[in-house]
Amino acid sequence: MATLPPKTESFAVAVVGAGAAGLSLALALAREGVPTALVGRHAPVADGRTVALLDGSVRFLDALGVWAAIAPHASPLAELHIVDDTGSLFRPPPARFVATEIGLDAFGWNVESARLVESLRAAARAAANLTLFEEDAAGFAAGADAATITLAGGGALSARLVAGADGARSRLREASGIRPRSWAYPQSAITTILAHTRPHRDVSTEFHTRQGPFTLVPLPGGHRSSLVWVMGEGPAKRLAALDDDALARAVEHQAQAMLGSMRIDGPRGLVPMRGLSVPSPVAARLALIGEAAHVFPPIGAQGLNLGLRDAAALRDAVMRAVEDGRDPGSHAALAGFARGRRLDARLRTTAVDALNRSLLTGLLPVDALRGLGLLAMTTIGPLRRVVMREGVLPRLGAPSLMR
């Protein structure tokens, strides 16, 4: 192991990355009494994005003591409607999924990303057993007994385990030698927040178009929704260049005026559609979570929820190691985490990728399969309930704080 600077602090776990996944993991460990460091700048989040926190994620945040601060600013997702707007010959009727059918008041809750992250940051700043280093990590090196993180400001710290939550361009992933597979889609997503004259009634509506999904997700108050509009890169750039009034009219037209007149009521973003996966989320003294381990299009509310499951699962792995007196950064301690997260990420990535590509192809056999699948979920009750439950939280291997 490299020689450390004389004032290096030592921790059981160091989390690198101060987004929602990294913050939640750091809080989860600190609340268990694990000496934890959180490394990362607390940058602003303001591009019009929201996150639909599914039921398991809400349970996790509640266990961390932060849901009470978030809940007043979140809207329940009581129903999901899917409308095939591809113009296909095999277009099925609109599908309706209702949370009460699987014993839930809501599939999840939609909240602005900035509100979620700021609530987690406030809890992190007040948490015992958690030391914040509000700067970037400049380097990572794994040793026999601990890993070393060098900081952009010149300092360093050591930890038995490092959790890489530093995003799609993860420096820790690169330094560890994990080689990701990455790909791009010929699409971008316009994100913003809308006000509308008709109430959303806690219904999230997803139109499947030939360029990608167009999704309206409820926000509090009954007359505000968030938008994720996936389309070709060229059309997305042209729409993003419109003024607010013209963009609102385009959204209203695409939504078939189902929510009445619309206006832009928040910041706007333009997000390129990318994908990324890793052969394994672990390396020597390192575990990757969130977008450091997987990236896929914002379809089906799976991205951040998968990252929060990573965090909750890594918390479980660390606590098992601590309770058994084992090294939390050892290969044995992380083996189960790696297996479970590979499977979960692979299933979600494959499903989202297949749906997105099926919309783009325009091939009749692919349209037929997609339409038959949606029709089957609509008409076969047991299948529909299984799909809804798995979409909210995988029943096999669910982290303890999400059950």
Side-chain angles (χ1 to χ4, degrees), residues 31-355:
R31 288 176 67 85
E32 299 288 352
V34 177
T36 304
L38 177 63
V39 179
R41 288 181 297 138
H42 291 194
V45 180
D47 65 354
R49 275 190 272 191
T50 65
V51 56
L53 296 165
L54 299 178
D55 183 68
S57 296
V58 171
R59 292 173 187 268
F60 182 38
L61 294 170
D62 192 36
L64 300 184
V66 298
W67 179 244
I70 298 169
H73 309 283
S75 179
L77 309 180
E79 295 188 23
L80 169 63
H81 296 178
I82 298 178
V83 179
D84 189 314
D85 196 24
T86 61
S88 168
L89 293 174
F90 297 97
R91 182 171 53 190
R96 178 173 175 257
F97 302 91
V98 183
T100 54
E101 189 177 354
I102 56 172
L104 298 175
D105 292 331
F107 292 116
W109 298 74
N110 195 38
V111 63
E112 293 182 44
S113 299
R115 175 74 64 177
L116 169 65
V117 172
E118 189 47 52
S119 297
L120 287 165
R121 286 173 183 168
R125 291 186 177 111
N129 305 307
L130 180 56
T131 304
L132 306 185
F133 296 84
E134 296 194 30
E135 56 183 301
D136 289 332
F140 165 83
D145 300 314
T148 305
I149 297 171
T150 54
L151 303 174
L157 59 94
S158 69
R160 305 296 292 277
L161 170 66
V162 175
D166 52 339
R169 295 181 176 86
S170 171
R171 290 185 177 182
L172 268 66
R173 186 185 64 223
E174 182 179 0
S176 73
I178 295 175
R179 296 289 174 256
R181 182 175 73 91
S182 59
W183 61 95
Y185 298 93
Q187 299 161 291
S188 293
I190 291 177
T191 61
T192 193
I193 293 170
L194 304 159
H196 39 80
T197 55
R198 294 178 184 169
H200 53 58
R201 304 186 189 280
D202 300 332
V203 175
S204 178
T205 304
E206 185 171 291
F207 292 83
H208 289 172
T209 81
R210 194 51 82 190
Q211 294 193 59
F214 169 94
T215 308
L216 295 167
V217 192
L219 281 170
H223 290 268
R224 295 176 78 238
S225 295
S226 61
L227 169 73
V228 179
W229 190 354
V230 179
M231 67 186 78
E233 292 174 301
K237 289 179 180 177
R238 289 193 290 273
L239 275 178
L242 296 177
D243 62 30
D244 282 358
D245 288 343
L247 177 59
R249 287 195 298 272
V251 173
E252 184 181 329
H253 176 75
Q254 180 60 52
Q256 302 174 10
M258 59 175 288
L259 293 177
S261 300
M262 292 185 171
R263 63 178 173 83
I264 306 301
D265 195 38
R268 295 158 54 167
L270 181 64
V271 186
M273 293 295 93
R274 301 284 184 265
L276 179 146
S277 65
V278 294
S280 173
V282 303
R285 303 258 161 222
L286 176 68
L288 301 177
I289 67 171
E291 290 196 339
H294 42 73
V295 176
F296 46 82
I299 297 172
Q302 294 300 316
L304 180 59
N305 288 284
L306 182 58
L308 293 177
R309 284 204 298 280
D310 295 341
L314 187 53
R315 174 263 178 203
D316 287 355
V318 170
M319 295 314 301
R320 283 194 294 268
V322 169
E323 290 165 4
D324 295 342
R326 293 184 292 155
D327 179 351
S330 67
H331 174 76
L334 296 174
F337 167 82
R339 285 193 301 272
R341 303 322 303 146
R342 273 199 305 267
L343 177 61
D344 195 4
R346 187 178 300 123
L347 290 173
R348 306 288 155 165
T349 302
T350 300
V352 169
D353 181 76
L355 172 59

